[in-house]
Amino acid sequence: MTTGSGEPLTAYEELLTLYEGLSLVEQGVLHGAGVLLVGVLLIGILREFASDTLKTSHRSPFISLCIGLPATIVLGGLFYTGLVLSGTNVGIFFAIPLVTISGLLLPAVVTMGYVSLGGAVLGRLGSTNALSWIVLGAALSALTVLATPVAVAVSFLAAVLGCGAGARVMFNGGGVRESTDRVVPPANKI
């Protein structure tokens, strides 16, 4: 494919053009299917990371949101910087790790954010089934293509919550501490 000026489109531009050509229903199905697929893969393959991320986001959502805002900005900035650098001859060397790392982390943690929001809603109704949390998270993701202020707020909340909880789990070292763990002296045996 080429642009109007005769220049060839990059793969990113071709994907963006293809996505914009879809109807809102098709875009919603694509978003929902993506969250459903990534959510099932994360729960199935990275079970400890996924369950710790969900526990962390439910146990202390405010802290996850505070950490998630700069984490989302950093990951998005790394991805964008990698895309800009990929257009230069020398920059491709630096672009590959930037796009790879942020391109793998962003979908994973944002999906965990949607699943966490689904879990928060269904948890109020007494459901602890992770598959139902994933399905509701995928439905919430599908509704965000409507671009209403509520849909944009839900999408932003899912991204920030998922990035914050994911960062807390990745950099915590040992996962979520159980509430039975004691950090005061009687737990420290000599």
Side-chain angles (χ1 to χ4, degrees), residues 130-179:
L131 185 58
S132 63
W133 292 10
I134 294 171
V135 170
L136 184 59
L140 288 173
S141 171
L143 293 176
T144 59
V145 298
L146 298 176
T148 61
V150 173
V152 171
V154 167
S155 181
F156 178 75
L157 181 66
V160 170
L161 182 66
C163 281
R168 290 176 67 195
V169 169
M170 279 188 265
F171 295 117
N172 191 18
V176 178
R177 252 195 318 201
E178 295 297 323
S179 58

Side-chain angles (χ1 to χ4, degrees), residues 36-51:
L36 188 66
L37 177 67
V38 173
V40 167
L41 285 175
L42 284 174
I43 294 288
I45 296 173
L46 300 174
R47 179 175 295 276
E48 187 175 333
F49 168 76
S51 65

Side-chain angles (χ1 to χ4, degrees), residues 65-155:
L65 289 173
C66 290
I67 293 172
L69 183 60
T72 306
I73 292 169
V74 166
L75 281 176
L78 289 175
F79 187 75
Y80 180 74
T81 303
L83 288 178
V84 169
L85 288 175
S86 68
T88 64
N89 290 335
V90 177
I92 193 71
F93 178 74
F94 299 104
I96 291 171
L98 291 177
V99 171
T100 303
I101 291 170
S102 58
L104 289 173
L105 285 178
L106 266 175
V109 294
V110 171
T111 297
M112 285 292 99
Y114 279 115
V115 172
S116 179
L117 289 179
V121 171
L122 290 177
R124 301 280 186 239
L125 302 174
S127 174
T128 59
N129 184 2
L131 185 58
S132 63
W133 292 10
I134 294 171
V135 170
L136 184 59
L140 288 173
S141 171
L143 293 176
T144 59
V145 298
L146 298 176
T148 61
V150 173
V152 171
V154 167
S155 181

